[in-house]
Amino acid sequence: MQVTGVVHASQLPDRVPDPAERRRLKRSGVIRSAGEWYVTAEAPPDLVALLEQGLRPTCLDAAALYGLWTPMGRGVHAFRPRVVRMPEPAPRALPIRRRRDPATAELVPLVDLTSTPSPLSPQPIVLHPPSLRAWPDDNPVPDISRVLDHAARCLPTVDAAILLESALDLGLLDANALRVLLDGLPQRYGRPLRRVRSDAQSGTETAVRWWLEGRCVKVRSQVQLLPDVRVDLLVGVNWVIECDSRRFHDDPVRYAEDRRRDLALSVRGYRVTRLTWEQVFLQWEQTSRMLQVLLRQRRHSAALSA
């Protein structure tokens, strides 16, 4: 994966053929070295901090750079070939990891801010086991298959599923590549992930659906219930669950459209539950208890009203 503002030292002469111009750019600080790379002000700071230490991002951090829907996590995930010797002492902690919210294009922290004293506190490096004797290419971010392989071995199953389903939804991973990836994993990692789907459109949707499926509840994703209404999840016959994909809810147009859809569904006998990002990822213990109560009532199995 190529990243704006980052070029390998071996590629710089192709980008800037004139040696005098390269020297001028370096002297002026327009470009500066970061390990075996040259970077500009456009380069993501967290990525540059890794490259300076001879590391490359993987797992959650590389997934964020690919634009995947990225669940929360702690630590900065990185890896290195066997031939790279780590400096002493161990790698320094890096700034808090962030992802770009697809709905707002804003960078948002990838940690639980409710339990973090300072949003700017440094995050420790989580090194993934190396599988190579040397870097396979000059790209600052590993290929998506390697990133997802690392994620599947590192993260809780549902978090790995969120990344896989996001990659499928974005077209960064196809069915054949997914099969190869899962076949290459130990069974304890690969088998639970074989039920990933390609139609999930947010991590909140994936998380809730996996929880329901784990309780043998019939649930379908992205169901077209009305000509102009597609819902995130349809549980049983008549229970619609809509999952907000971001933690900010300040769009009045979106708010009004959501209420229009809810009313249209209610008229046709559907029960609508909306879950926020916070309810799914910050308050899941309480949220899941309430969802369990609703499941026990079995009203989702009732026939739709005429």
Side-chain angles (χ1 to χ4, degrees):
M1 174 187 177
Q2 297 292 328
V3 179
T4 301
V6 180
V7 61
H8 194 268
S10 64
Q11 299 172 348
L12 186 61
D14 294 331
R15 302 283 185 91
V16 187
D18 183 2
E21 177 65 8
R22 292 201 299 272
R23 289 193 294 270
R24 186 191 70 78
L25 292 173
K26 294 175 187 177
R27 285 196 304 269
S28 65
V30 173
I31 62 174
R32 67 178 182 86
S33 62
E36 57 188 279
W37 310 85
Y38 283 101
V39 299
T40 70
E42 297 177 288
D46 292 354
L47 173 60
V48 173
L50 283 172
L51 298 178
E52 288 175 333
Q53 298 187 67
L55 306 173
R56 298 187 191 183
T58 189
C59 194
L60 289 170
D61 294 84
L65 290 167
Y66 271 104
L68 300 188
W69 206 107
T70 313
M72 293 187 309
R74 293 192 177 279
V76 176
H77 294 250
F79 85 120
R80 69 189 191 277
R82 296 185 181 92
V83 296
V84 174
R85 296 291 181 265
M86 295 305 300
E88 295 294 340
R92 58 185 171 85
L94 298 181
I96 192 168
R97 189 176 68 254
R98 299 172 182 268
R99 72 173 174 88
R100 191 168 298 280
D101 188 310
T104 64
E106 295 178 352
L107 286 173
V108 297
L110 277 174
V111 297
D112 180 352
L113 298 184
T114 62
S115 60
T116 305
S118 169
L120 300 179
S121 59
Q123 294 290 298
I125 292 178
V126 179
L127 282 175
H128 286 248
S131 57
L132 305 172
R133 296 193 63 84
W135 295 120
D137 51 45
D138 292 335
N139 294 325
V141 182
D143 66 85
I144 190 67
S145 294
R146 186 175 302 281
V147 168
L148 295 173
D149 179 273
H150 283 167
R153 298 168 189 264
C154 169
L155 304 176
T157 300
V158 68
D159 288 352
I162 287 172
L163 295 183
L164 287 170
E165 294 194 350
S166 181
L168 289 166
D169 179 58
L170 294 175
L172 296 176
L173 193 70
D174 60 24
N176 183 62
L178 173 65
R179 183 169 54 254
V180 171
L181 188 157
L182 296 180
D183 287 346
L185 291 171
Q187 284 197 4
R188 69 181 184 276
Y189 300 128
R191 182 179 297 170
L193 291 170
R194 292 193 180 276
R195 59 185 175 95
V196 298
R197 300 174 56 95
S198 61
D199 56 1
Q201 295 188 355
S202 74
T204 45
E205 179 186 327
T206 297
V208 175
R209 194 192 81 243
W210 273 61
W211 180 84
L212 290 164
E213 290 175 343
R215 281 148 184 78
C216 300
V217 176
K218 180 182 177 182
V219 56
R220 291 186 289 158
S221 298
Q222 295 302 314
V223 184
Q224 192 83 40
L225 294 182
L226 301 175
D228 60 344
V229 176
R230 178 184 293 271
V231 302
D232 291 337
L233 300 172
L234 178 62
V235 183
V237 176
N238 64 5
W239 185 13
V240 170
I241 299 181
E242 296 280 40
C243 304
D244 288 341
S245 64
R246 56 197 177 111
R247 67 177 75 188
F248 303 108
H249 322 287
D250 54 1
D251 184 348
V253 176
R254 175 65 182 271
Y255 182 90
E257 173 60 15
D258 287 344
R259 271 59 198 174
R260 182 198 68 80
R261 288 160 43 97
D262 292 353
L263 182 59
L265 290 169
S266 298
V267 167
R268 289 159 178 80
Y270 293 99
R271 300 171 59 224
V272 181
T273 299
R274 289 194 170 273
L275 298 178
T276 65
W277 182 94
E278 291 86 354
Q279 286 176 303
V280 175
F281 289 106
L282 301 184
Q283 304 155 10
W284 182 243
E285 184 176 350
Q286 304 95 303
T287 302
S288 60
R289 281 201 303 266
M290 288 185 281
L291 293 177
Q292 189 67 54
V293 171
L294 293 173
L295 286 173
R296 291 195 188 108
Q297 295 173 355
R298 302 196 59 80
R299 285 188 284 175
H300 59 286
S301 301
L304 291 172
S305 58

